[in-house]
């Protein structure tokens, strides 16, 4: 049996960020993932706010900005209707407000930064079982290997085995978004890497994105609240193809567009408020902790930042040799201090957005104030 202080389950952005920060703190650990890298991951492929803050904290921001697989823009427009948009933009002295890159490339970028001195990678075999003992948590992999750790970090996403086994959590479709996406080429996009972001209504608010990527490709995405999609019997594939073909502002961009991948779906959980994110010998990060933003769907950045916060809590636990539920409890408070206000406001905004006329009215009234204050909001939560 392998013994270690820390075992991270999941090597996506939240897990790798936990690992990189643990290495900065000179804490040896294991990081486990069922996949080998590079591996594909269905996502909208946009990076904002906390992704930058996390990359800066990890010492990787400059390398990320210079990487040829990622492109950047200084402006985001949210089209609420054809003649109404909210614009968020950076000042002239800052590089970007949003970046785009395929998850296969971004996740591989982070995995390549894992420390060879402090991080031992066990990739290519998923977790079969978790067993709590007085000495630690035994992680049994599907290949038969067993790792006993003083602390286990659940960075294993929306279907987290750590969350289910150790936190007793079951998913809630009311606190989850479902999206569908595919890659296209030759879509007519602005030269400044500006995305197409629209609030699209069909019985409920749906979010439509066309994110530019290198090599003349784009990621096309549509989705919304999972339970509402089910209640309204919405077929996302039919809906997104209708938008691409018939929407007066969207269709002209796709005249020469060619779909180069199949439609794929994925979920984004935002159940942090009701989630047990820590307990005796375990901590959850990223989607396992339900930390995605419910309105604008940022999950990668909040996941990465939670990993950094998690690593610092682990350092405290190891120093005090205390892995109890009560000692771990401050971790949720740390997450709430970082993300709570923004996540709660985003849930409120999503609830208001269900009432189209009300939301449009509020957007019209608040447009100038929001756009004027946008830079300060962005700067506080980015770089």
């Amino acid at each position: 049996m392998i013994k270690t202080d820390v075992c991270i389950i999941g090597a996506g952005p939240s897990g790798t960020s936990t690992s990189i920060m643990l290495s900065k703190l000179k804490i040896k650990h294991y990081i486990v993932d069922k996949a080998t890298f590079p591996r594909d991951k269905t996502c909208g492929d946009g990076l904002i706010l906390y992704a930058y803050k996390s990359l800066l904290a990890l010492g990787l921001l400059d390398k990320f900005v210079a990487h040829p697989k990622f492109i950047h823009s200084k402006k985001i427009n949210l089209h609420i209707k054809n003649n109404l948009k909210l614009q968020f933009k950076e000042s002239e002295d800052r590089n970007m407000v949003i970046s785009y890159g395929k998850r296969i490339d971004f996740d591989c970028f982070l995995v390549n930064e894992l420390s060879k001195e402090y991080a031992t990678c066990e990739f290519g075999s998923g977790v079969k079982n978790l067993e709590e003992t007085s000495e630690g948590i035994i992680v049994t992999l599907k290949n038969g290997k067993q790792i006993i750790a003083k602390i286990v970090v659940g960075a294993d996403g929306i279907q987290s085995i750590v969350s289910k086994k150790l936190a007793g959590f079951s998913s809630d479709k009311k606190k989850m978004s479902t999206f569908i996406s595919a890659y296209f080429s030759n879509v007519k996009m602005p030269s400044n890497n500006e995305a197409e972001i629209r609030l699209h209504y069909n019985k409920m608010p749906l979010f439509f994105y066309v994110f530019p990527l290198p090599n003349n490709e784009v990621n096309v995405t549509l989705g919304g609240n999972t339970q509402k999609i089910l209640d309204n019997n919405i077929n996302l594939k039919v809906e997104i193809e209708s938008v691409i073909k018939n929407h007066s502002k969207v269709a002209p961009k796709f005249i020469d567009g060619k779909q180069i991948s199949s439609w794929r779906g994925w979920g984004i959980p935002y159940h942090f408020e009701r989630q047990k994110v820590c307990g005796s010998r375990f901590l959850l990060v990223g989607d396992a902790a339900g930390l995605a933003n419910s309105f604008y769907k940022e999950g990668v950045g909040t996941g990465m930042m939670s990993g950094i916060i998690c690593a610092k809590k682990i350092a405290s636990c190891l120093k005090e040799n205390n892995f109890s539920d009560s000692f771990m409890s401050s971790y949720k408070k740390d997450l709430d201090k970082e993300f709570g206000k923004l996540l709660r406001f985003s849930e409120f905004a999503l609830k208001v957005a269900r009432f189209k006329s009300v939301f449009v009215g509020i957007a019209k009234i608040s447009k100038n104030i929001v756009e004027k204050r946008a830079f300060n909001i962005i700067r506080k939560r980015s770089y």
Side-chain angles (χ1 to χ4, degrees):
M1 184 164 317
I2 301 166
K3 291 186 178 181
T4 183
D5 285 339
V6 185
C7 181
I8 303 167
I9 299 174
S14 57
T16 50
S17 296
T18 308
S19 174
I20 294 168
M21 182 53 69
L22 283 175
S23 298
K24 284 182 171 292
L25 297 171
K26 299 181 179 181
I27 297 171
K28 291 190 175 183
H29 58 280
Y30 274 70
I31 179 167
V32 174
D33 199 285
K34 62 183 179 182
T36 56
F37 291 80
R39 63 100 170 91
D40 201 4
K41 181 80 172 180
T42 312
C43 184
D45 294 335
L47 298 165
I48 57 175
L49 295 181
Y50 280 108
Y52 299 139
K53 186 173 183 178
S54 302
L55 288 165
L56 182 63
L58 297 173
L60 299 175
L61 184 59
D62 289 342
K63 186 180 288 189
F64 167 76
V65 171
H67 199 289
K69 293 287 188 179
F70 313 120
I71 60 176
H72 317 282
S73 179
K74 294 172 70 74
K75 181 171 66 174
I76 302 175
N77 291 319
L78 170 60
H79 297 269
I80 296 172
K81 52 188 296 188
N82 284 353
N83 61 351
L84 176 63
K85 66 180 181 182
L86 296 178
Q87 185 175 94
F88 305 89
K89 61 182 180 180
E90 276 294 6
S91 61
E92 291 301 318
D93 61 324
R94 282 161 62 92
N95 292 322
M96 64 264 170
V97 66
I98 186 168
S99 297
Y100 311 100
K102 291 183 178 181
R103 280 290 301 275
I104 189 173
D105 297 319
F106 185 66
D107 288 16
C108 192
F109 167 78
L110 292 176
V111 165
N112 287 339
E113 297 297 327
L114 295 176
S115 169
K116 291 180 172 59
E117 181 179 0
Y118 293 102
T120 300
C121 299
E122 286 283 347
F123 294 164
S125 182
V127 175
K128 183 178 180 180
N129 191 39
L130 299 169
E131 181 185 351
E132 300 176 68
T133 73
S134 59
E135 299 299 316
I137 296 175
I138 299 173
V139 180
T140 302
L141 304 183
K142 290 181 180 178
N143 63 10
K145 286 188 179 180
Q146 288 190 312
I147 302 167
I148 184 166
K150 295 177 182 177
I151 301 173
V152 164
V153 177
D156 46 343
I158 192 170
Q159 299 295 335
S160 170
I161 188 173
V162 182
S163 179
K164 290 174 182 176
K165 288 274 189 179
L166 303 183
F169 184 75
S170 58
S171 60
D172 180 359
K173 291 182 175 63
K174 294 179 181 178
K175 296 290 185 178
M176 188 185 305
S177 295
T178 297
F179 278 81
I180 187 172
S181 69
Y183 293 117
F184 284 69
S185 62
N186 296 322
V187 177
K188 295 178 182 178
M189 300 293 287
S191 59
N192 61 356
N193 295 334
E194 186 177 328
E196 179 80 15
I197 305 176
R198 292 187 177 273
L199 191 56
H200 170 71
Y201 282 89
N202 179 7
K203 303 176 185 176
M204 62 172 289
L206 295 166
F207 294 81
F208 175 76
Y209 308 97
V210 183
F211 283 172
L213 295 165
N215 303 318
N216 196 32
E217 294 182 18
V218 298
N219 182 316
V220 185
T221 299
L222 180 74
N225 178 269
T226 302
Q227 189 61 57
K228 294 293 183 182
I229 289 172
L230 293 171
D231 291 345
N232 290 292
N233 196 29
I234 293 173
N235 185 315
L236 288 178
K237 182 176 180 291
V238 171
E239 192 69 26
I240 196 169
E241 289 179 344
S242 175
V243 172
I244 290 170
K245 183 179 179 180
N246 301 314
H247 193 287
S248 61
K249 297 294 185 180
V250 175
K253 295 179 170 66
F254 283 82
I255 290 176
D256 299 317
K258 180 181 178 182
Q259 187 170 343
I260 57 176
S261 76
S262 59
W263 293 110
R264 300 185 298 177
W266 83 99
I268 302 174
Y270 52 91
H271 46 64
F272 170 67
E273 287 293 326
R274 62 182 293 264
Q275 167 78 62
K276 181 176 175 63
V277 298
C278 56
S280 177
R281 297 191 181 276
F282 79 90
L283 301 157
L284 303 178
V285 295
D287 280 354
L291 281 167
N293 186 291
S294 60
F295 190 81
Y296 56 81
K297 319 306 177 189
E298 180 187 29
V300 173
T302 50
M304 293 175 68
M305 197 66 216
S306 69
I308 292 168
I309 296 169
C310 176
K312 293 176 180 178
K313 181 60 186 177
I314 288 170
S316 174
C317 291
L318 293 173
K319 181 179 179 181
E320 299 295 327
N321 195 35
N322 191 338
F323 315 105
S324 65
D325 194 339
S326 59
F327 192 76
M328 291 286 194
S329 63
S330 64
Y331 173 64
K332 175 128 188 177
K333 296 176 183 177
D334 294 339
L335 293 181
D336 190 70
K337 182 178 179 181
E338 183 68 53
F339 307 120
K341 185 176 180 180
L342 184 60
L343 295 183
R344 284 187 286 272
F345 176 78
S346 295
E347 281 215 52
F348 171 74
L350 183 62
K351 289 177 181 177
V352 175
R354 294 172 186 168
F355 306 96
K356 183 178 179 180
S357 59
V358 174
F359 191 70
V360 168
I362 292 173
K364 285 180 179 178
I365 294 170
S366 62
K367 175 177 166 65
N368 291 336
I369 297 173
V370 170
E371 292 181 345
K372 186 176 180 180
R373 294 182 178 178
F375 172 69
N376 289 331
I377 296 170
I378 294 166
R379 188 171 186 174
K380 182 179 180 180
R381 293 175 173 86
S382 60
Y383 63 102

